[in-house]
Amino acid sequence: MTGQIVNYQCPACTGPLHFNGSSGMLECDYCFSKFTVEEIAKHYESQNTKAAEAFSEQKETDWDLSELSSQWENADQMKAYICPSCSAELICDEHTAATKCPYCGNPTVVPGQFKDSLKPDYILPFKYSQDDAIEALKKYYRGKKFLPKEFSEQNHIEEIQGVYVPFWMFDGKVHANITFDATKSHSLKQGQFLITNTDHFDVHRVGTVSFEKIPVDCSKRMPDGHMDAIEPFDYSMLKEFSTAYLPGYLAERSSLSVKECVDRADARVQNSTVQIIKEDVIGYESITEKQRNLQIERGKIHYALLPVYLLATKYQNQDYLFAMNGQTGKLIGNLPVDKTKYWTTFLSIFVGVTLAAGTLLWLML
Amino acid sequence: MMRKKRCLGLMNMLIAVFLVLLFSVPVFAENDTLLILDDASVLSEEEYAELYLHAYDITEKYECAVHIVTIDDPDLDMNSIQQFSESLYLSSDQFGYGPSKDGFMLVVNVSERCYWLLAYGDFGNMALTDYGKEIMSEEFLDDFSFDDWPRGFQDYLNFSEQVLEMAVDGAPLDKAEQPASPLTSYGIGAFFALIVSFITCESFKGKMQTAVKSSYAHHYIDMLNTNIEFRNDRFAYRTTTRSKIQSSKSKEGGTTVNKKGFSGKGGKF
């Protein structure tokens, strides 16, 4: 339990450090010193190694649950750590890799969560701050006609967290062999009749579509819809993983295996492949797919932590979760719909268009 | 073989026209116009006289002949009655009024229970529009269904008088003259409005529900290693559909006149 976590402290004053997305450096909250990721990673290299080793040893002597009541059945999924700054005991989810001590507020990292095969290949650093995320949410409310007034007026965010979400990234190719029935038609007048000749073609396409780093989040806690909707990420900014990017944010390691996630990637590549092939069939009036044969050639799998802000709020006892891409600033989420506003707008449009269109038709006919 | 059969058919038709003219008891108007030709003998003498007088009055008043022809010929069906009627109309100067031969003719074959209603001449065609023929047919067909020939012909003459009167006034009975009811206009408007309202509101609502799973992976396609290796487009077969052209004229109203100068409408009863 002792020494499994590391507090990234300022080498100058021992104040807590946090990663600043806009500067791309680790900054001290007290003396405002700035350090590069490489400097801090080197400074804490030996401490991280020791913490990771302690984490591995701890596995053998984890919780003794024999005398706990059945209500604590999930306790084996929890872990306890000692904060190196204030010696408080931190209870975390078994997948937590970076958090903040609730007692002294120091950002803490559990390097053991990313040891050996669990170490991510890449990390995409945060570019936007929490303030940017709050501003983006306010902007998101604007122009939403059916948003309840109280919801936007209260606008109190219950919780905001910058989280490094674990993603599997799949490389691969899809070999497609698809046949379509395509038609072209032309019409000619013969007396009082219009003769329409429709030519049917058997269209055959064989092709290969390659994909690179399709992200599928491997966190059980993260809703799939939210994680898909904040895409895309700019992979040109991917960095080699270092725990030095984590201070100031939450992070967790994967809680879903590759096998559990691969179906989501497969479905997406298949749909995109069919669409790409279909777009190659041009010059026809209609295209109907007749037969398809898709073979997926699986490639490399990468493991990466991608930056996401999660903003949670409550309205009428219901939770609303929004997610913002920490790199691009794209914010998504489902807002509550005011039914009165919906039906008022519906009726206003209905009555207005009925009167306008009806009068116009009456005058024309 | 087919050609020979067609020639025989045409010959039979011309012989029929000739026999109709030869054996009928024609009633000549003062201007030598043959107004009623009851070859099927479905009218009594009184009925005949009454109809004749009415037809004569109309013809003289509007300078547009109004003819009635009855026949009893099992060989004359829906496929041939139009050609027969047009040939009969052009076969003699006794049909139509004046040099332009303006007139209407209702030909009824009582054995095959079919009819053809035609109009000829600039004034005739202008007065009896396609829409007018439709309405006129409705007037007499219900009587013909019960073999009430005199009443059916009387309805035909009454309606002919009406449309001729309207034509003389410069406003022939036509589709465009029938204003759409407000109920229909607003009904169509309401249906259109329902679709517009639904699409608009669902579009606004859709902008509030953005956390949706992705079905595609277009952002991650490596275009350098993506290629179509084989393309083959092969003609398989051809299908042909034939549909009657709904001329803009008939949609808007007016009269559809064929190359011979006739407009017409026919059917069974």
Side-chain angles (χ1 to χ4, degrees), chain A residues 139-181:
Chain A
K139 206 174 163 188
Y140 184 65
Y141 290 164
R142 281 181 218 148
K144 303 292 188 290
K145 292 203 184 300
F146 302 146
L147 189 67
K149 207 176 174 185
E150 310 82 59
F151 185 88
S152 49
E153 272 177 358
Q154 290 166 5
N155 190 33
H156 50 78
I157 296 159
E158 301 265 326
E159 202 178 347
I160 175 163
Q161 292 176 334
V163 186
Y164 277 109
V165 179
F167 278 79
W168 297 121
M169 290 172 161
F170 297 88
D171 287 354
K173 288 179 180 176
V174 180
H175 301 285
N177 188 339
I178 308 178
T179 52
F180 303 91
D181 176 32

Side-chain angles (χ1 to χ4, degrees), chain A residues 124-128 132 136 229-235 237 307-309 323-332:
Chain A
L124 199 55
F126 273 90
K127 200 174 163 189
Y128 286 90
D132 294 331
I230 56 168
E231 289 178 22
F233 291 93
D234 177 7
Y235 288 156
M237 303 302 285
V308 179
Y309 277 108
M324 187 178 104
N325 185 320
Q327 184 201 26
T328 63
K330 181 183 178 185
L331 190 137
I332 59 90

Side-chain angles (χ1 to χ4, degrees), chain A residues 333-345:
Chain A
N334 296 340
L335 290 165
V337 173
D338 186 331
K339 284 181 181 170
T340 314
K341 279 187 178 179
Y342 182 95
W343 288 111
T344 309
T345 310

Side-chain angles (χ1 to χ4, degrees), chain A residues 245-300:
Chain A
Y245 288 103
L246 304 183
Y249 301 101
L250 302 183
E252 58 179 85
R253 67 173 171 84
S254 65
S255 50
L256 290 169
S257 68
V258 170
K259 272 188 181 176
E260 287 171 295
C261 296
V262 74
D263 287 347
R264 278 174 62 199
D266 283 355
R268 291 177 66 179
V269 295
Q270 285 176 359
N271 290 338
S272 284
T273 300
V274 172
Q275 193 159 339
I276 291 284
I277 299 284
K278 208 172 177 180
E279 281 168 9
D280 188 69
V281 182
I282 48 174
Y284 296 99
E285 283 158 18
S286 75
I287 303 161
T288 313
E289 192 184 319
K290 270 166 61 181
Q291 205 175 6
R292 76 161 76 161
N293 181 12
L294 300 175
Q295 286 181 338
I296 301 175
E297 183 186 324
R298 301 190 195 289
K300 283 184 184 172

Side-chain angles (χ1 to χ4, degrees), chain A residues 34-77:
Chain A
K34 289 182 181 181
F35 305 93
T36 63
V37 170
E38 291 74 25
E39 283 169 344
I40 294 299
K42 198 174 174 186
H43 187 78
Y44 280 93
E45 195 175 358
S46 61
Q47 218 172 319
N48 281 344
T49 312
K50 281 180 191 169
E53 280 166 6
F55 180 86
S56 306
E57 286 162 15
Q58 178 66 18
K59 278 185 177 170
E60 300 299 320
T61 57
D62 239 345
W63 299 90
D64 177 6
L65 307 172
S66 55
E67 290 181 15
L68 288 178
S69 71
S70 59
Q71 286 178 330
W72 282 77
E73 58 189 6
N74 289 330
D76 59 342
Q77 291 167 10

Side-chain angles (χ1 to χ4, degrees), chain A residues 173-211:
Chain A
K173 288 179 180 176
V174 180
H175 301 285
N177 188 339
I178 308 178
T179 52
F180 303 91
D181 176 32
T183 62
K184 276 182 195 175
S185 60
H186 52 276
S187 302
L188 54 109
K189 271 186 181 179
Q190 267 185 12
Q192 286 186 320
F193 291 92
L194 186 72
I195 311 294
T196 306
N197 292 317
T198 306
D199 292 338
H200 293 254
F201 294 83
D202 283 331
V203 177
H204 189 191
R205 293 285 184 276
V206 177
T208 303
V209 182
S210 295
F211 294 90

